[in-house]
Amino acid sequence: MAGRRRFLGLTAAALAAPMVVRAQPLLDVEVAVIGAGAAGIAAARQLIAWEYDVVLLEARERVGGRAWTDGGSLGLAWDRGAQWLHNGRANPLRVEARALGLALTDSDYDDMQVTRGTDGADDGARDALFGALEALDARMERAARTARPGATLAEIATGDNWDRAALQLSAVSMGGDPDEVSLMDTMLLESGDDVLVAGGTGGLLRGLARGLPVSLGHAVTTIDLRPADHVVISGPFGTLRAGVALVTLPPAVLASGAVRFTPGLPDRKRDALAALGPAEFVKVGLRLPAALPDAAEFAVDLAAFERGQAALLHIDPRLPVASVIFAGRHAAALRHEGRRAVAEAARAVLRHHTGVEAVAVEAHDWATDPFSRGPWARVRPGADTARRDYAAALDGRLFFAGEAAPGPYGTTLGGAWNAGLAAAGQIWDAT
């Protein structure tokens, strides 16, 4: 099929000559984008700018996917999912937020309180931990050049207490424990300065989706590729025919069989979906009785790390709201104990670091959300091609994008946005 740019360039010449046109099916839309999260919104905006006829099909009754800013449960805006614009200087959503007039606030990871058990903040411990993090980064770069296939973060541990704490803190950011997190995948991902956006990331995506042709409450359950020149997409809403489809659903949702593909996906694609399992991550929001202007923005307790109960506390520098992040086996154990255990564990973390009692607590378990089945995709150690295989197009008619796609900003909102733009480019080239 000639590329769309080639078609546009030949239009004038074609009008001057007799044409034989192959019969085309009556299509409902040129491009169906499935999922109105960051990737779907980015792709739809770009495709519409290129004058494609597009529809977004979103299973939820809201846009944004796992970027959900909740203003009700705590009484103040709190991001249940994605909170930061990571790699703020390079994040494409930074420019988009400014274009919408949304204020950005630098988030300072170096502003961290480090405690050891019942001891108060220890500047010496903080300096030692950050020194260990720098040494870990350098050691990961060296190890990645010679690491065995399937190597994990745990395999580069030195046994030093500070190194062990640095490894656990790095693994928390990946949503696992050191022996579960792929060394190679971690090395492929970039880090940098982060920013917080006024109104939350959910508000940002709502603004970016404004005016787009989004059909909410439209869960897709089947995608049929048997027609030679289009795709048939069905769900409780009915059926539509599209020239091509872009799927931006999380790999865990696709791996669960929530969407049936006919014919079935090739083995390499199914293997990639299975290898991109959900991160183990629980995030809890806490309403504070008042803002804490003098508190460190982040806090960790090394004694909890040693007990296998690592947690990261974030104090919002703008609002009387905090978040506690649990990851790995500790997160899984808390989830198994139930919502009350999760809430009390978060309250205890806040109390330990600040002496403050939360006035309201709320969490969202993305693992039990049928439209996400996890907070983000984490590559199984050894499945080094999983991200690339997940994002590979099929037959020039079925495309994939999301935070699980390859690239230095994978697992992040900015990475999902970039993946949507890349998929739009693939559709342009294919049509």
Side-chain angles (χ1 to χ4, degrees), residues 88 151 162 194 210 300 313 365 390 402:
W162 294 114
D194 300 335
R210 194 169 295 124
V300 296
L313 171 67
D365 189 351
Y390 154 74

Side-chain angles (χ1 to χ4, degrees), residues 74-90:
L74 296 182
L76 291 170
W78 172 65
D79 288 305
R80 287 175 172 261
Q83 180 172 356
W84 288 270
L85 300 187
H86 294 292
N87 312 96
R89 307 301 169 188

